[in-house]
Amino acid sequence: MRYFVTLSRLLAAFSFLAAFSLAAADYQSHRQLGNQLLLKTSDGELAITFFQPQVAEVHYQPAGVKQLPSFAIGTAPAPQTLTVTDNGDHLLYRSAEMRIKIAKSPLKLSFYQGEQLITEEQPGFFKDKEQLSFKFRLTEQEKLFGAGQRVLGMDRRGHRLPLYNKAHYGYSTESEQMYFSLAGVMSSNKYMLLFDNSASGHIDLGKTAADTLEFSAVGGRSAYIVVAGDSFPELIDNYLTVSGKPPLPARWTLGSYASRFGYRSEAEARAVVQKYREAGLPLDAIVLDLYWFGPDIKGHMGNLAWDREAFPEPEQMLADFKADGVKTILVTEPFVLTSSKRWQEAVAADVLAKAPDGSPQTFDFYFGNTGLIDVFNPVAADWFWQIYKGLAEQGVAGVWGDLGEPEVHPADTRHLLGSADEVHNAYGHRWAELVYRGYKRNFADTRPFIMMRAGSLGSQRYGMVPWTGDVERSWGGLQPQVELALQMSLFGFGYIHSDLGGFAGAETFDPELYIRWLQYGVFQPVYRPHAQEHIAPEPVFHSKDVVETLRPYLNLRYQLLPYLYTMAWQHSQTGMPLMRPLFFADESNTHFMDETNSYLWGDAFLIAPVTKPGVRSWQVNMPDGVWFDFFSGKRYQGGELTEVPVTIDTIPVLVKAGSFVPMVEPMASTKDYSSAKLTVHYYADSSISCAKGQMYEDDGSSTNSTANGNYELLNFYALDDENGLKLEFTRSGGDYTGKPESRELTVVLHNQPAKAGRITVNGQFIAIVAQPQRFARQQNVAYYDKATKQLKVKTHWQGEKLQLQVR
């Protein structure tokens, strides 16, 4: 204990050395070591590392100043050819696609992609006894996205924002500080600037000086990362190649959840699952909030064990739910109350963060007097993991980490790596890491489910599933959800989602608001209604009208699983978000960069949630091209703001011409998932001469399916020319559990103005029947629906290739 106190004081002293500025320093010498250029200056050292040809980290290392490890970077530098040349007053450090100009006196770095300047220091790095900071030059028309969860509009330029993860209970249409800040931005000029620093600080996006971006922090790592790219998807891919790609989640993650604050007993939890089954609504997971470990809100946090009075047979409950296709997720928090059953165990194991005198730090907050687990301490991380491991062995399928900002974090708290203010924003990150690595060690063939409220740059590589916090249950709470999701998705957090229906407040149930929020939820990454219990968040507890309005949407969520799962796989491979800003459709359209309602849902869909009551139409910002209303089939010419008619049963859901949308039959849970009966919709149009799509499938649960070849990739192609419409379907990949030997394939061709004259499948003629009943009964048959302008073709897909010709 005496050693820890002495070490803490020494580290604190190192953090507040005399003021200096490397920005005013002079270059003295340099040497190259592999991917790294090391520069000695009059005030310390500077290391520039190329991790990829378009990704470089700059790390200032003042002499004698403590440096924290990198949390943002998750991979080692890739082998590449790098050159450094001395041009007298400056050095040039080059990769294949980026060059860095290093002015010698005063020291200043400028970054180029080819010959194009993308960003430069203004003038560089500063450090004094109060804080460290970097400054960069901004161009006049530059827009900036990022900085994490905020409700400010898509372009965050002109704001000075705190970098300190902090709960914002009951937020709605405005918020400058929320649960999950990110110390980085993406520029409309196609670069990313990321500050590899976990400390409390600020990011000034041209507020103090219109042409200057400034990052400042009270301590931590004095480093930043510059990422370049030729397009926004490439930019994201380049960043995540270094920071870490998000792993592919289990298929059940994309299903329907029952969740509230909270289920108070085993009997209540069982009744909720039964209610879903009786109502015929699909369900894949139930989430248990804090009553699983105690009967009251206060006094029990840190028990981290079943309350056997309320949950007398949890193991049997977990097994019964699993047999019914329902996974169980438990909330946990990093706080151990002094009144909890584990307090003495935590003190004895020395797993708690310290007070300045080296004793366990304690403080009061809403739930009681508490300590905080020091997740930065390997001993504490292992202690925490052993609890998770025991729960997983009982049958718990997922981890929900709540209050992980941490919600209360006194500044004088000492962690193994540094002070509370130095590591605050990395707390949720390290918490997710310990859970993820524990699963990899002890449950190697399980894809972890780790839902966390806070994290930092790089947390996506641990499979973090974040949500947007305790949003107000109001129209104002619904309105910013697209903005929040799009901003986080640009930085690799593809599974960001909201508490559907809203969480906080409201004294009476608003059925229209509830319906609109859950309709939107079908087209967000995780479908999880969650709220305070005085108004039920689950649809099964509401009126028949509400249930029947939402039933087709919940069924649609499951029918779209092949499409959703393919998006998830693509996200794991390239980082391409599931929810995408409109400017991904036209990167030159600056108007799209301000759009906070309409968004792209994968390659095929354009979604515009209805976020106001009593409307009969809704404006949709349509990119260029032809779009079809998913519900009515109406054809729209894009390129302008368009009023789309809506009813309480519909929101604007549009499909791009030339899109393939694979779908399956509805199911009770993903346990019953099968693509043996596969329907592929193709949205044909005269404006599209050729198109392609794909569908990824594996067993939905095994790790390393892609790396091991245990998957199947279905590719779809369309060619429309003077010979008619030709579709080709190919299959590649290996074996996996549940792989169909053959598929009953139904192809639905949309926007067909007339009945086809001739249809062949692999050269064989297909009969066109006049009645839908005959089409349903027979095989190798076609049917034309004049009312919907749809041509349906049903056949068996065996072998690797199938060709369909329509003339």
Side-chain angles (χ1 to χ4, degrees), residues 341-359:
K341 296 176 181 178
R342 287 193 191 265
W343 172 252
Q344 291 302 327
E345 176 189 336
V347 171
D350 197 23
V351 301
L352 300 171
K354 306 295 185 183
D357 66 359
S359 64

Side-chain angles (χ1 to χ4, degrees), residues 317-335:
M317 179 189 73
L318 296 170
D320 291 345
F321 285 169
K322 181 179 179 181
D324 195 22
V326 177
K327 308 292 186 181
T328 304
I329 301 164
L330 300 184
V331 75
T332 53
E333 301 88 359
F335 299 98

Side-chain angles (χ1 to χ4, degrees), residues 546-613:
V546 170
V547 170
E548 294 309 316
T549 301
L550 290 173
R551 182 185 302 280
Y553 280 87
L554 269 76
N555 285 336
L556 177 61
R557 176 78 179 189
Y558 280 77
Q559 289 173 281
L560 285 171
L561 277 172
Y563 183 82
L564 305 184
Y565 196 61
T566 300
M567 283 198 295
W569 173 73
Q570 292 168 342
H571 184 53
S572 73
Q573 298 299 298
T574 68
M576 188 68 163
L578 288 75
M579 293 176 67
R580 304 167 190 175
L582 283 195
F583 61 81
F584 274 41
D586 182 357
E587 295 189 348
S588 65
N589 190 324
T590 57
H591 179 60
F592 283 170
M593 293 180 180
D594 295 318
E595 176 61 45
T596 58
N597 190 66
S598 304
Y599 65 96
L600 303 172
W601 179 233
D603 293 326
F605 288 97
L606 170 63
I607 311 296
V610 174
T611 60
K612 293 183 179 179

Side-chain angles (χ1 to χ4, degrees), residues 744-805:
E744 180 182 283
L745 176 65
T746 300
V747 180
V748 181
L749 302 177
H750 294 256
N751 192 34
Q752 300 299 293
K755 181 179 178 180
R758 177 181 174 85
I759 303 172
T760 59
V761 173
N762 288 340
Q764 300 297 311
F765 175 75
I766 292 288
I768 304 175
V769 298
Q771 296 84 25
Q773 296 84 355
R774 288 184 61 190
F775 177 79
R777 290 195 307 267
Q778 296 179 352
Q779 298 295 326
N780 295 314
V781 67
Y783 169 72
Y784 178 68
D785 188 329
K786 184 178 180 180
T788 62
K789 296 183 180 180
Q790 293 179 6
L791 175 64
K792 300 179 181 181
V793 181
K794 185 167 59 174
T795 186
H796 269 93
W797 184 6
Q798 294 175 306
E800 293 183 356
K801 183 183 293 186
L802 183 146
Q803 290 185 334
L804 169 64
Q805 184 88 32

Side-chain angles (χ1 to χ4, degrees), residues 241-522:
T241 298
V242 168
S243 184
K245 297 286 174 63
L248 179 63
R251 187 184 285 116
W252 68 262
T253 304
L254 302 174
S256 166
Y257 296 57
S259 181
R260 67 162 61 182
F261 180 57
Y263 304 119
R264 294 172 179 266
S265 67
E266 179 180 332
E268 185 178 9
R270 287 181 178 274
V272 169
V273 173
Q274 183 61 28
K275 189 83 169 174
Y276 270 84
R277 296 304 181 224
E278 290 171 352
L281 294 181
L283 184 67
D284 258 275
I286 184 169
V287 185
L288 302 186
D289 212 318
L290 48 73
Y291 298 114
W292 75 271
F293 56 70
D296 307 302
I297 293 176
K298 299 182 179 182
H300 307 285
M301 192 172 288
N303 285 349
L304 295 170
W306 293 98
D307 177 1
R308 293 281 176 164
E309 292 188 11
F311 294 85
E313 296 182 302
E315 295 88 354
Q316 188 61 52
M317 179 189 73
L318 296 170
D320 291 345
F321 285 169
K322 181 179 179 181
D324 195 22
V326 177
K327 308 292 186 181
T328 304
I329 301 164
L330 300 184
V331 75
T332 53
E333 301 88 359
F335 299 98
V336 181
L337 299 186
T338 56
S339 58
S340 74
K341 296 176 181 178
R342 287 193 191 265
W343 172 252
Q344 291 302 327
E345 176 189 336
V347 171
D350 197 23
V351 301
L352 300 171
K354 306 295 185 183
D357 66 359
S359 64
Q361 174 80 295
T362 59
F363 48 91
D364 293 325
F365 79 139
Y366 177 78
F367 298 95
N369 185 256
T370 193
L372 177 67
I373 298 170
D374 186 1
V375 296
F376 301 98
N377 183 339
V379 173
D382 184 67
W383 178 86
F384 209 1
W385 166 248
Q386 293 305 317
I387 295 169
Y388 286 121
K389 179 173 179 285
L391 293 168
E393 289 170 342
Q394 289 180 330
V396 173
V399 172
W400 170 18
D402 202 7
L403 314 182
E405 294 78 24
E407 184 165 298
V408 181
H409 202 189
D412 64 348
T413 302
R414 296 290 181 261
H415 295 273
L416 185 64
L417 284 186
S419 70
D421 282 348
E422 288 176 310
V423 299
H424 176 82
N425 293 326
Y427 190 93
H429 173 94
R430 185 53 64 89
W431 185 8
E433 180 184 9
L434 78 86
V435 176
Y436 181 81
R437 294 194 185 281
Y439 267 95
K440 289 300 180 184
R441 285 195 308 272
N442 299 122
F443 307 97
D445 204 33
T446 297
R447 301 181 195 174
F449 177 87
I450 305 171
M451 187 167 74
M452 292 277 174
R453 201 167 76 171
S456 64
L457 294 168
S459 296
Q460 75 288 334
R461 66 178 175 265
Y462 302 125
M464 183 182 284
V465 177
W467 82 103
T468 59
D470 296 340
V471 57
E472 183 179 84
R473 189 168 4 199
S474 67
W475 291 99
L478 173 58
Q479 287 162 14
Q481 294 308 313
V482 169
E483 175 192 344
L484 288 166
L486 293 180
Q487 292 282 359
M488 294 294 289
S489 292
L490 291 173
F491 291 78
F493 295 96
Y495 301 103
I496 181 74
H497 64 285
S498 66
D499 288 345
L500 297 180
F503 176 81
E507 296 305 315
T508 58
F509 177 63
D510 183 340
E512 184 182 4
L513 169 64
Y514 181 78
I515 286 169
R516 291 308 193 195
W517 212 318
L518 270 68
Q519 287 171 334
Y520 155 62
V522 170

